[in-house]
Amino acid sequence: MRIKIRLLIGTLLLTSSAFAQFVSGNLSLLTGQKITLEGFDGLKTYPISNTSLDEKGNFKLTYSKADYGIGYLKLADDKPLFVILSGEDIEITGNALSNTETIKVIKGKENQWFEQYAKEHPRREQALSAWIYLEKIYASESLFSVQKTPANLIKSEKLRIKKEDANFLANLTKDSYVGWFLPARQLVSSVSVIAQQRTDEIPATLAAFRALNYADQRLYKSGLLKDAIESHFWLIENSGRSIDSVFIEMRKSIDAMLVNLIKDEKKFNEVTNHLFDLLEKHSLFQASEHLALKVLNEVTCTIDSDLAKQLESYRAMKKGNIAPEIDFGNKSYLNGFPQNQFSNLTSINSPYTLVVFGASWCPKCEAELPELIQNYTKWKNLGIDVVYISLDTEPAAFEQVVKTYPFFAYCDYKKWDSQVVKDYYVSGTPTFYLLNNKREIILKPISISQMDAWADWVLVQGNK
C-alpha cells in the first residue's frame, strides 16, 4: 500500500512539473533577498511563487498554465519587472529590477519581443509628438506655412514612424500572448496623448475600446482591465464634447461592453461593479443610471446582491417616477420647534420640494447644509420648499442641529433602518431628490450648488 502511495505521489509530482514553466535568472546586487512572482486576476493580484536569491544572486520560480498572462517579479525594496507568462521558460540577467538598463532577457522569445517593444515604442511616441508639434507650426505660422517641402517631409516621417510601429506588431506571432497584449497596452497607454495632441484619432480609439472584449481571459490576466475601463470612459469625458454628447457616447460604450460580459457571470459582476463606482465617483449619473438599468434588465446573469441593491435605486428612483410618500407623525420640527403642520410629504403644498437626507455626524453635510440655509429664502420665493430627513439616532443630536434650520425637518432615529431611508434607497449622505407637486422626481442633484444652478436656469431664466 505504501509503495502504491509513493508511486502515486511521484506520478503527481512528475505530472505537475511537466506542466510547470520557469522564470529564472541572476540579479547580482540582490543576493539573499526574497523574490516573488505575482499575477493578475481581473482587478486583483495574487502570488504565484516565491524564493530567495542565493549568494550569487540566482533565483528560479515556477508558474503554471492557470497563470498565463502578465506577471511581475517583485522584491521588497525594488520596483517590479513585468514578464509575459505565455508558457515559455524565461531567463533574465541584470544588477537589480530597478536598474532597467542592466536587465536583459536571455531566454523566452515572447519576453524578448516585449522587451524590445518596451524600449522602442516610447521613443517612437516621443518623436511622433515632436513631429506633430512641428506640423502645427508649419501649418499655422505665416513664416513657415509657405514652406511646402518641409511640411511634406514632416507628414512623410509621421507616416513612417506609425508604419514602423504597426509593422512590428503585425509581425508578431498571431496566436502569441504578446501579439495580443502589446496592441491592447498601446491602446490603453495612448489615451492621454490622443486626447491632448492627436484628437483626430479619438473616433478610431473609441471604436477600438468598444471592440475590446472585456470578458476575454487574456484581458482578465493582463493587469490592463482596470486601466482599460477607466481610460475608455476618461477619453469620452475629455474628448471636448458637450455633456449631452458625452452621455450618448457613454451609453454606446456601456452597451458594447455588456455584449460579451453577459456570457461570463463572474466577470460581468466584477466589471459592472467597478464601472458603476467609477461613474458615480465622477458624478456621471446619467451614464450610471443607464448602466444600472441595463444590468438590472439582464436576465442571463445573476447579479451580486450588494450590487443589485445599489443598482435598484436607479430603477426605483429614476427621473419621472413617483417618490414614495413619507409620513411624519409627531417626530418633525419647523424653525427648531416640534410641530404638526404637515402630516406627510404630500401635505407640503409647494410647486417643488427638495428632499434632503443628512445627519449631524456627516462631514459632507456639515459642508453642504450652510449653503442650503443660505439659499433657502431665495428658493422659497421661487416655489421650492425643503424637507430635511435626518439619519440621527439621538433626539438631542437631531434637535441641536435642526434648531438652526428654517425649513421642515424629520427624524425617526432609526438611521439606516428607517423605512424612509429604505424607501428612497439612500446609501450615503447627503442625498437629494427634487420633486414637483405630484411627487414626481424631476432632478437628483449631487450638490447644493447644482440645485441652485437648476433653480436659476429653470425658475429664474425660464428655461424648461
Side-chain angles (χ1 to χ4, degrees), residues 113-129 161-169 181-191 193-194 198 201:
W113 290 332
F114 181 41
E115 179 185 46
Q116 182 182 349
Y117 191 75
K119 289 178 179 177
E120 293 177 356
H121 178 68
R123 294 172 188 167
R124 292 193 193 102
E125 286 293 301
Q126 288 172 357
L128 193 59
S129 295
I161 292 171
K162 290 181 179 180
K163 186 176 180 180
E164 184 179 271
D165 202 80
N167 285 342
F168 182 94
L169 297 175
F181 175 76
L182 287 177
R185 191 182 74 158
Q186 182 187 3
L187 172 67
V188 171
S189 62
S190 66
V191 163
V193 173
I194 286 171
R198 289 149 47 184
E201 297 179 30

Side-chain angles (χ1 to χ4, degrees), residues 157-415:
E157 180 60 8
K158 278 175 56 189
L159 290 172
R160 188 198 67 79
I161 292 171
K162 290 181 179 180
K163 186 176 180 180
E164 184 179 271
D165 202 80
N167 285 342
F168 182 94
L169 297 175
N171 288 329
L172 296 173
T173 306
K174 296 300 179 186
D175 60 350
S176 65
Y177 186 84
V178 72
W180 172 89
F181 175 76
L182 287 177
R185 191 182 74 158
Q186 182 187 3
L187 172 67
V188 171
S189 62
S190 66
V191 163
S192 177
V193 173
I194 286 171
Q196 296 170 28
Q197 300 176 20
R198 289 149 47 184
T199 54
D200 58 311
E201 297 179 30
I202 288 176
T205 305
L206 284 179
F209 271 119
R210 287 169 185 157
L212 199 61
N213 180 355
Y214 288 83
D216 192 329
Q217 186 66 7
R218 294 173 300 182
L219 177 61
Y220 215 67
K221 300 291 289 185
S222 69
L224 293 176
L225 180 61
K226 180 175 182 289
D227 289 337
I229 297 168
E230 295 181 1
S231 296
H232 184 166
F233 285 83
W234 183 91
L235 180 60
I236 298 174
E237 191 179 1
N238 293 276
S239 58
R241 303 169 187 273
S242 68
I243 190 65
D244 289 338
S245 179
V246 163
F247 288 126
I248 289 170
E249 294 300 319
M250 286 188 173
R251 287 196 289 270
K252 290 179 184 177
S253 290
I254 289 167
D255 293 348
M257 289 175 68
L258 293 181
V259 168
N260 290 302
L261 282 170
I262 59 175
K263 302 170 186 176
D264 190 316
E265 196 167 285
K266 180 177 181 292
K267 293 171 186 172
F268 175 83
N269 278 281
E270 185 168 2
V271 171
T272 54
N273 200 348
H274 182 74
L275 178 56
F276 183 77
D277 287 345
L278 173 71
L279 297 173
E280 291 277 287
K281 190 182 296 182
H282 286 254
S283 301
L284 298 165
F285 296 114
Q286 286 189 40
S288 55
E289 180 174 298
H290 179 77
L291 174 63
L293 297 176
K294 288 284 289 187
V295 170
L296 288 169
N297 290 332
E298 182 51 57
V299 296
T300 60
C301 284
T302 302
I303 309 170
D304 290 344
S305 58
D306 288 344
L307 176 60
K309 183 179 178 182
Q310 193 176 13
L311 298 181
E312 186 60 44
S313 67
Y314 275 93
R315 181 154 63 188
M317 301 299 291
K318 68 179 181 179
K319 286 169 64 176
N321 282 9
I322 302 298
E325 181 63 280
I326 305 174
D327 293 316
F328 298 129
N330 58 358
K331 299 176 182 177
S332 55
Y333 280 66
L334 184 61
N335 294 315
F337 297 100
Q339 62 88 53
N340 297 309
Q341 182 178 348
F342 304 116
S343 58
N344 54 30
L345 186 60
T346 304
S347 63
I348 300 176
N349 189 23
S350 294
Y352 302 98
T353 302
L354 179 67
V355 181
V356 180
F357 290 87
S360 63
W361 40 261
C362 165
K364 195 171 179 183
C365 299
E366 205 172 319
E368 288 276 326
L369 287 170
E371 191 178 349
L372 173 60
I373 295 169
Q374 181 181 337
N375 285 304
Y376 177 67
T377 301
K378 177 179 70 174
W379 291 354
K380 183 78 171 174
N381 291 333
L382 293 172
I384 304 171
D385 216 324
V386 173
V387 171
Y388 176 75
I389 310 295
S390 173
L391 275 70
D392 280 301
T393 56
E394 298 296 330
F398 170 63
E399 291 167 14
Q400 177 66 25
V401 170
V402 299
K403 69 181 183 181
T404 62
Y405 293 172
F407 40 77
F408 184 82
Y410 165 80
C411 184
D412 62 8
Y413 310 111
K414 295 179 180 178
K415 203 173 183 178

